[in-house]
Every structure is written in C-alpha cells, then in structure tokens.
Amino acid sequence: MTVNHADLANAVRALAMDAVQAANSGHPGMPMGMADAATVLFTQHLKYDPEWPEWPDRDRFVLSAGHGSMLIYALLYLTGYEKPTLDQIRNFRQLGSPCAGHPENFELPGVETTTGPLGQGLATAVGMAIAERHLNARFGDAVQDHHTWVIAGDGCLMEGINHEAIGLAGHLKLGRLNVIWDDNRITIDGATSMSTSEDVKARYEASGWHVVSCDGHDAASIDAALRAAKADPRPSLIACRTIIGYGAPNKQGTAATHGSPLGAAEIAAARETLGWHHAPFEIPADILNAWRTSGARGTKLSADWKMDAAKAEGYADFLTWLDGSALKAAGPALKAHIDALIAAPQTVATRKASELALGAINAAVPNTIGGSADLTGSNNTLTKGLGTLDAANYGGRYVYYGIREFGMAAAMNGMALHGGIVPYGGTFLVFTDYCRPAIRLSALQRAQAIYVMTHDSIGLGEDGPTHQPIEHVMSLRVMPNVLVMRPADVVETAECWAIALENTSGPTVLALSRQNLPQVRTAANENLSAKGAYRLRAAGAARKVVFLATGSEVQAALNAADQLEADGIGCDVVSMPCWELFDLQSDAYQADILPEDALIVSVEAGTTVGWERYTGRKGLRLGIDRFGASAPAEALFEKFGLTADAIAKAVRGKLA
Ligand SMILES: Cc1ncc(C[n+]2csc(CCOP(=O)(O)OP(=O)(O)O)c2C)c(N)n1
Ligand SMILES: [Mg+2]
C-alpha cells in the first residue's frame, strides 16, 4: 500500500490522542488540529537531520503552543530521532520520561526551546532568527543559511509579548522567520469570539509582515502557503485555518479537545472517522517507514553542508563561537583591565564600570551581541565599534530593541539557544519585572543571557519610587539557576562580568548603580567575587560585628566600620556581590566569613526580607521595606537610614 499524506498525519493524531489518554492528562486538540500542517512542514520544508540534531545550520522549529507537546514528541519519534522512544511516549508526562508536560529544551534534542508560557516561544524564535542572520552576515551562506519555523496558537498571538516580538521582527525584516498560526478560533474558555475581535492578519501586516492563509487540512494548500512564506523577503504569518481536535467526531471544533483526554469512546469513534484501525501506540511499518524515509532526507543535506561549510573562510572561528571557546579571550582582557584599575583606581558608577569591562570584553570576544530596551545611554551597554545590528547590517553587534523589555529578554534567550552568540541586554533594574517571565525561562532552559540592569536602588534619586527597585534584587535571588550580582565597585564589576561569561548554563543579572562609587578594592590577585562574599577588610579591634553589604552599601559599611572601630568595636566588612556563589562555598569558608560570635549586619538598599538567612534572627538587617521617594539620592540614603552615621548608630543601638 502506498502511504499518503493522511496516513502520515493520522499517525501524529493517533499518538497524541493515545498518549494523552494513557497519561489521563494533556492536550490532544492542538496536535490533532495541526497534524496536517506539521506533516507538510516536516516532510517537505523543514531542514533537519534526526541523526544530527545539533547540526548548526538546521532550521529551528519552535512549538510556541507548547501545550500541544505531543505534536513535537510524535514528530521527533516518527522522523527518527533517537529520542523519544515509543516507550517514552507511552510514559508521556510521567516522572523520568523526557516527554514532559510541556516541551523542555534540556530533555530532548530537537526541542529547541522550552515552551508553554504562551507567547514566549514565538518571541524566542525572533532571537533565533536574529542569530541566524548575524551568523550568516559574519560567515556566509555556506555556513549559516536556515529558516526559523514556529507553530503558534491563538494564545501566543493574543499575549502582549506578541506585539513586541513581531514589531521587532518586522522592523528587522527577518524574512527567514515563518510563523504558522493554528487559526482554530478556540481557546480554553471557548470560542475566541468571546474575548477578541482583533484583525490579527491586519496587525501583522501593519507590523511589516507578509501574511498568507491556507486551509489547514489541505496538504496542497498548506504547501503552497509555506512556499509563499519562504519566497517572501518579509517575516511571514501563515494563517492556517484548522479544526481543533480534528478527527474526533463529536468533540472536534470545541474547547473540550483542548486540554483533556478524549475518553475511550471518543477515541474509538476517532479511529473510525480517521480510518486508523491500529492499536494504541502501534504505527504500521509502512507508515513509520515513510516517516523515517522523510526524516532521512536530512542525512545528505547535513553531510553536504559539512563539506561546504568546512571550506568556507572563518569556519574554524565559527566552531569556536559554537563551542564557547571564543569566550575564553575575555579572561586575559579583563585581567589586564583589572590590573590597570589596581594601578590607577577609579570612582565610577558600576554601570560605567560595566561599560569599561564591556569595552575590554567586546574587543576580545567576537560573538557578543549587546543591546538595550531604549536606555543605551543609561545602561552603558554600547561600546566602541560594535555597529548596529539592523536590516541593513545584520553583521552589527548592537540591537536597538526599542521599549520592549520582555521582547528583548525573550530574543536574548533565542540567541543563546540558537548557539554561537552570547547576548547581553539592558534596562533599568526595576523593569526586570517586565522581563521576568523570560528571565525565568533563561534560568529553566540554562540559557546564557546576561542582563545588564542599572539604576539599582534609591541611589537613582529623583525619578522616584516608580523607578526605585526595592524587592527586585531579592526576588531575582529567589529564582533558581540565576546568578544575581550586585558589585560594589569598578573592580568587582569586572569580576562579575568575568563570572557572567563563564556562567554558560544560565542567566546572570548584573545590578548596577547609577551613582558613582569609590573603588574599594585595592588588590585583585584572584576573582574574589567568585566566592560570592569575601572579607574586604578585617576588624582592627576585637571583632564584634560583621557587616554583610552589597553594591553601593559596601562603601557605607566601610565608613560605619571606621566610626565603630574608633570606639574599639571591631568590624569585619564583607562584600557580598552574589548570594548564589557564596552558598556554593565550603562550610568552613562560610563559617569563617559569618562567625557565630559576632553580630551580623546586612546592609542593602532593598527589602530586608531574606537576609535572616545570613544574619540569623538575632542579627541586624538594614534596608528598605517600603517604596522609595522622589528626591536626590543623598537625601534618600539619609531618610532611609543607610548613611554611615545611621548604620553605625543602628549597630550601637543593637549592641547596647
Ligand atoms: C502565559 C500563559 N497563560 C496561560 C496559559 C494557560 N493556557 C494554556 S493553553 C491556553 C489556551 C491557548 O489557546 P490556543 O493558543 O488557541 O490553543 P488551542 O486551544 O487552540 O490549542 C491557556 C490559556 C499558558 N500556558 N501560558
Ligand atoms: Mg486556538
């Protein structure tokens, strides 16, 4: 028997409905509805090699509608990836199966990015498309020349981040980005007509996109639309009209298929409707073979690429970008920079210190891509000679993201996950809230995105409480797998940058001051920030107090310690740029820094919640547990009791 399109697509539908039924949990509607479009994409358009999932020039495929995870698991299995196995699909959503509830990039090669939080997959794909164009500009067609494909649902298009993402993609003319919209007019609550009247296609067109429509259950129509998308120089939206849960005769077209098992009776009826007379998880050999043959097309494509790419100029460099070794040049560059600072100390804001460090980094490391969400001059993220990355020059290394913090953060994830690029981007620390869902996905996905977050406290002054972070540093510390760093001076800032570049398996957030800070480090034989906390100055008199300070409060703690020492109260001053790294130190080291017999005093111009972890309940926590105020910085530090005088006074009161 010859295998036709419907057989291929029905294999996807069957695996999806049977796996969801077995798990008694999951989302059959989306994979069943999009089975036809995905089959056309994977058998006729997508460039990939199941035997070499990391092929650097593969098309990137992003299932932005991550709840339809069974779609990608079915496709990976059918096309011949090593994983998931049929057994792993049988164990969909169970502990130990890589077929997680939503696709996880660290579980399965072929899953390019973790999706599920609606809207972010598409926004991440924008970053992948930027990375592709950049690498193409730097290394040429033979090395990098691929598409980025997205399947997105109504939810992905309805989320606010979609506006940011498509605005950026349209502006940058990312013609190799193609989004297939599962236009089924259904979400969880029911018909989309209950909640939206938007003309989605007009919105995309207004954002500079090419829009094409197709019948999502007609292979020829889908194929024609995908061809049109590839041919058009603009990013494309392929509006793919589908029926959710296609094939389930009584439930299709309704929200009932969105997120619940179909049930045994409906599955039996679907088998009849689809003409799929096979047991659960059984894919007939001829159909599996047809899928595998299709997947095997990639073997020759990737082998040809390897031969051609190897001949291209710069290919050896390209490999160092991919494996991260290009980053190593940052080490000596930062070391030289720090040595110069020790020889000639500088009083600068740590945001300026970051710019100085970046000057050394960007000159030595070729594959950083910087940017800011419209605060370039404030975030100090632009260094000499980077050039603007835009539609006229994809080879530039600096992106003007516009006022799109969330879109920027998601795009950085996309660049990091694409590979070959180390992205950093800036905004005000208070607007990490606008980036937060993407920072969370950087952390979950182990993506090296570096967040340059300036104006890190009341020290920013006159802009007032809307712009003054209070809970932000602490709330980021609470997130797993994020290095949150608040350096005290120009030397620590350089050290923190070195750490951020070495932190290849997660994001780093740098919290940087607007105001000038004196250089507190006079020696730098080793990267002390890497210990998370270290004794900056030991007590002169008998030690009674240990100050645990971060960022701009380190200088205030030093000055307070001077006053106390004058009265015979010995004070260690510990600078603590990074909690997470301190927590990794040995018990002995931690005990030495935080002795039991001293009063531990935390000083940080932010919430005191959480500092009990180090001060103990009997310690003293100096910070700000309310919103700030609008005034010059000095007046605010005075008002909130974070001057040297106020700190010394509080300590005396506690010791009395
Ligand atoms: C940010 C976010 N909000 C809410 C959800 C919960 N959620 C999962 S799917 C979904 C509806 C999505 O509708 P659509 O994209 O049209 O998917 P379809 O029902 O067509 O499969 C919602 C609200 C989520 N995953 N992410
Ligand atoms: Mg929908």
Side-chain angles (χ1 to χ4, degrees), residues 34 37 77 107 127 129 162 178 206 212 235 267 273 346 353 402 499 544-545 567 573 654:
M34 284 300 281
Y77 167 70
E107 290 286 4
N162 190 250
N178 295 320
V212 57
I267 286 180
T273 304
Q346 291 203 32
I499 294 161
K544 295 212 174 64
V545 173
D567 290 347
V573 176
K654 184 79 180 176

Side-chain angles (χ1 to χ4, degrees), residues 30 67 116-118 153-156 159 182 184 186-188 244 258:
M30 186 271 177
H67 56 280
L118 296 175
D154 300 299
C156 290
E159 290 288 353
D182 179 13
N184 61 18
I186 289 288
T187 65
I188 293 178
I244 190 170
H258 165 89

Side-chain angles (χ1 to χ4, degrees), residues 13-14 16-22 28 32 247-251 260-274 276 278 280:
R13 292 191 172 96
M17 68 181 182
D18 289 334
V20 171
Q21 188 69 18
M32 294 178 77
N250 307 299
K251 291 190 172 178
S260 316
L262 295 177
E266 183 69 1
I267 286 180
R271 284 194 144 73
E272 283 308 313
T273 304
L274 296 170
W276 187 264
H278 315 290

Side-chain angles (χ1 to χ4, degrees), residues 126-437:
V126 171
M128 293 178 180
I130 294 172
E132 188 274 339
R133 280 297 84 189
H134 182 74
L135 294 170
N136 173 272
R138 304 280 292 267
F139 295 104
D141 288 349
V143 172
Q144 191 77 172
D145 186 16
H146 70 77
H147 287 86
T148 299
W149 296 92
V150 178
I151 289 182
D154 300 299
C156 290
L157 272 52
M158 215 182 278
E159 290 288 353
I161 191 179
N162 190 250
H163 175 68
E164 298 184 21
I166 73 165
L168 185 60
H171 173 70
L172 293 177
K173 299 189 166 64
L174 299 174
R176 277 143 190 283
L177 175 63
N178 295 320
V179 174
I180 307 175
W181 167 30
D182 179 13
D183 177 16
N184 61 18
R185 297 185 282 185
I186 289 288
T187 65
I188 293 178
D189 277 354
T192 50
S193 60
M194 297 191 306
S195 58
T196 180
S197 311
E198 180 181 283
D199 184 341
V200 170
K201 295 181 202 171
R203 178 165 65 89
Y204 272 72
E205 276 164 1
S207 304
W209 284 55
H210 159 243
V211 177
V212 57
S213 303
C214 67
D215 174 347
H217 299 301
D218 175 338
S221 174
I222 298 163
D223 179 50
L226 298 188
R227 277 176 204 284
K230 282 201 288 196
D232 196 279
R234 294 164 291 178
S236 290
L237 177 74
I238 300 133
C240 194
R241 177 54 59 80
T242 64
I243 297 170
I244 190 170
Y246 184 91
N250 307 299
K251 291 190 172 178
Q252 67 177 22
T254 74
T257 66
H258 165 89
S260 316
L262 295 177
E266 183 69 1
I267 286 180
R271 284 194 144 73
E272 283 308 313
T273 304
L274 296 170
W276 187 264
H277 303 292
H278 315 290
F281 303 106
E282 185 188 310
I283 308 294
D286 53 347
I287 296 177
L288 187 59
N289 278 340
W291 264 114
R292 293 279 156 94
T293 305
S294 178
R297 284 178 308 135
T299 314
K300 175 162 166 33
L301 293 176
S302 70
D304 288 351
W305 174 85
K306 202 169 191 172
M307 291 219 319
D308 294 344
K311 289 184 220 140
E313 204 186 314
Y315 181 65
D317 288 340
F318 176 69
L319 295 182
T320 68
W321 291 29
L322 280 185
D323 71 13
S325 50
L327 273 181
K328 294 214 171 85
L334 284 170
K335 169 95 178 62
H337 168 57
I338 291 171
D339 287 348
L341 291 170
I342 298 302
Q346 291 203 32
T347 292
V348 292
T350 49
R351 62 183 169 132
K352 179 69 184 174
S354 170
E355 182 188 331
L356 297 175
L358 273 171
I361 293 163
N362 287 339
V365 176
N367 60 329
T368 50
I369 292 188
S372 166
D374 202 47
L375 288 168
T376 294
S378 298
N379 301 145
N380 299 61
T381 35
L382 180 59
T383 64
K384 266 201 213 89
L386 288 186
T388 301
L389 191 165
D390 60 15
N393 176 27
Y394 290 120
R397 292 172 59 190
Y398 194 81
V399 181
Y400 290 99
Y401 287 102
I403 306 93
R404 301 184 178 105
E405 294 83 6
F406 190 7
M408 171 179 76
M412 290 205 293
N413 283 340
M415 290 183 219
L417 293 168
H418 180 281
I421 304 289
V422 179
Y424 69 87
T427 182
F428 289 148
L429 180 65
V430 81
F431 301 133
T432 49
D433 285 342
Y434 279 52
C435 305
R436 195 173 174 92

